[in-house]
Amino acid sequence: LVAPYFAVAPRWYAWPDVETWARAARRLVDWIDSGPEVHGLRDRTHAADFPCYRVLPLDAVLRSFEVARRADDPELLGACTAPVLVLVPSHDTVADPEAMREAHAALGSADKRLETFDDSDHLLFWDRDAEQALHTIVPFLTAP
């Protein structure tokens, strides 16, 4: 799981939380303009190469909250017994890194690993730790 989404990353300006603001905004508008720049990257040199959606439909945003809630079900996570590798970008501004750690802890797998990448945001494979992330994944996927 690469930067898995179990909860939206907290924002200092969204009180009480981003979900509450999104639900309130949805009563007034169908979409929000997220701005011209790519979000989720610390290394801006690759931003021009990465396609992004400038317009965010609020129905899709609200649906993503529901999907995250379902994925974060402790019973569901506990039932997972397959080997799992979770890659956590420490500076993730999209998915909450703490929620990733908590979900990892709740996994029922006897073979579960968590790797943290301290210099990247949500788009891990396009950010500063991309090479290190790939070198972490390949041995996990090719192990007997």
Side-chain angles (χ1 to χ4, degrees):
L1 303 173
V2 180
Y5 177 64
F6 292 100
V8 70
R11 306 282 198 277
W12 65 267
Y13 55 82
W15 186 87
D17 56 49
V18 174
E19 187 171 349
T20 300
W21 277 101
R23 289 190 187 290
R26 180 60 190 96
R27 290 187 210 127
L28 304 171
V29 297
D30 292 330
W31 55 271
I32 56 171
D33 183 341
S34 63
E37 75 177 41
V38 173
H39 300 279
L41 280 174
R42 294 188 74 175
D43 182 351
R44 306 306 302 166
T45 60
H46 300 291
D49 301 329
F50 194 85
C52 69
Y53 298 102
R54 181 166 178 165
V55 173
L56 285 169
L58 286 171
D59 282 342
V61 170
L62 296 176
R63 180 92 40 185
S64 75
F65 296 148
E66 180 59 31
V67 169
R69 240 187 314 284
R70 289 181 182 186
D72 199 28
D73 178 343
E75 188 174 324
L76 177 68
L77 291 167
C80 177
T81 58
V84 180
L85 172 64
V86 180
L87 306 183
V88 179
S90 293
H91 298 281
D92 200 319
T93 58
V94 177
D96 184 359
E98 186 56 33
M100 293 179 213
R101 289 182 192 90
E102 290 170 3
H104 172 266
L107 288 167
S109 176
D111 181 7
K112 60 183 180 181
R113 301 174 218 169
L114 184 135
E115 296 289 335
T116 302
F117 298 88
D118 292 328
D119 204 16
S120 290
D121 200 332
H122 187 69
L123 301 173
L124 182 58
F125 292 130
W126 288 271
D127 218 336
R128 296 175 181 158
D129 294 316
E131 188 172 335
Q132 181 186 353
L134 288 172
H135 287 296
T136 302
I137 289 174
V138 171
F140 178 79
L141 293 176
T142 59

